[in-house]
Amino acid sequence: MTQIPLSSDARERFLMEIAVVVPKHRISEVYLFPAIRQGPMETGIAVIAAMPVGATPEVALDDEQYSEGAAMSARHVVYSARYRWTRKGPDRGKWECDVVAEADAPLLTVETVVQGVQKRANEPMDPEKLDGESVRTMLAAAEKHWQTTP
């Protein structure tokens, strides 16, 4: 079992799959863990914090009645996402992805959830933390890339 950095193709595809379930305007944070290769399979996981349905980041962050601390303590929907990508063998290219709402919690506690994932993996794996704006920028670039790729 080998940990590898998430390749740009896998990252783009994974983020696009996440955005099918969690609209990109609702995403506040994404924690992408390094992929794990075991034989012909590559597996990746992510933890996503999203604004609840009906809320938008602009409302939570730009409204003068909310301080940054209040926005951080607002409840978010916490999703887990996993992908399995067959990299070699007769099923080469097969891609499976699941994105599941697991809980709701303040944004401040999502990092605790991420630490729990790290503990359960029993391996030192530091996730890459992306804010919502970075995710939206990456998704825009990925959508453009996949539209122009034959």
Side-chain angles (χ1 to χ4, degrees), residues 28-94:
S28 297
E29 294 179 344
V30 174
Y31 292 84
L32 293 169
F33 286 84
I36 296 175
R37 277 207 190 149
Q38 207 168 10
M41 300 298 297
E42 178 178 310
T43 305
I45 59 173
V47 174
I48 302 102
M51 298 294 290
V53 174
T56 63
E58 294 78 23
V59 171
L61 298 177
D62 291 342
D63 194 327
E64 289 184 23
Q65 69 178 338
Y66 293 105
S67 67
E68 185 175 331
M72 294 294 286
S73 64
R75 296 196 77 76
H76 284 66
V77 181
V78 181
Y79 292 84
S80 66
R82 302 174 197 279
Y83 77 84
R84 288 178 55 102
W85 187 9
T86 306
R87 301 295 298 243
K88 297 178 183 176
D91 290 333
R92 182 180 179 186
K94 183 177 178 184

Side-chain angles (χ1 to χ4, degrees), residues 133-148:
E133 191 57 40
S134 297
V135 171
R136 286 182 279 285
T137 300
M138 292 173 90
L139 282 168
E143 289 166 358
K144 186 183 275 189
H145 169 83
W146 289 98
Q147 286 174 354
T148 60

